[in-house]
Amino acid sequence: MSVALTTGLLTVVANVKDPKDWDRIVIAYEPVWAIGTGKTATPEQAQATHKSIRGWVNKNVNETVGKSLRIVYGGQCCLLEHTISSHKLFAYKP
């Protein structure tokens, strides 16, 4: 998912300023190129998108919210290299 598209969509919630309200917000996404294709982002791609989302929130809301925001990759997880399921690889990313 492109950074421009991701952050453009986030402007909808940019006016939420009270950290208590952010406690009830979860940002979930799936890369546009993956929707309905059966393709899966790599854990590294998902981590890069999380980083850009968190960075945008740090800059446009505040760093406290950015540090605690829940971000969820909502795309498909399948087997990678037929040995380790990708959901485990995603889970081990910070």
Side-chain angles (χ1 to χ4, degrees), residues 27-40:
I27 303 296
Y29 73 93
E30 179 176 8
V32 173
W33 54 263
I35 297 172
T37 66
K39 295 180 180 179
T40 303

Side-chain angles (χ1 to χ4, degrees), residues 29-68:
Y29 73 93
E30 179 176 8
V32 173
W33 54 263
I35 297 172
T37 66
K39 295 180 180 179
T40 303
T42 65
E44 292 76 20
Q45 289 170 317
Q47 186 176 29
T49 302
H50 286 213
K51 183 178 179 179
S52 70
I53 291 170
R54 203 167 298 285
W56 185 92
V57 172
N58 285 340
K59 180 180 176 185
N60 293 280
V61 180
N62 68 55
E63 289 186 16
T64 301
V65 170
K67 288 179 183 176
S68 63

Side-chain angles (χ1 to χ4, degrees), residues 2-53:
S2 76
V3 173
L5 178 57
T6 303
T7 56
L9 294 171
L10 289 172
T11 60
V12 173
V13 294
N15 292 327
V16 177
K17 299 297 182 190
D18 188 340
K20 290 180 184 178
D21 290 333
W22 278 95
D23 288 343
R24 301 180 301 166
I25 294 174
V26 176
I27 303 296
Y29 73 93
E30 179 176 8
V32 173
W33 54 263
I35 297 172
T37 66
K39 295 180 180 179
T40 303
T42 65
E44 292 76 20
Q45 289 170 317
Q47 186 176 29
T49 302
H50 286 213
K51 183 178 179 179
S52 70
I53 291 170

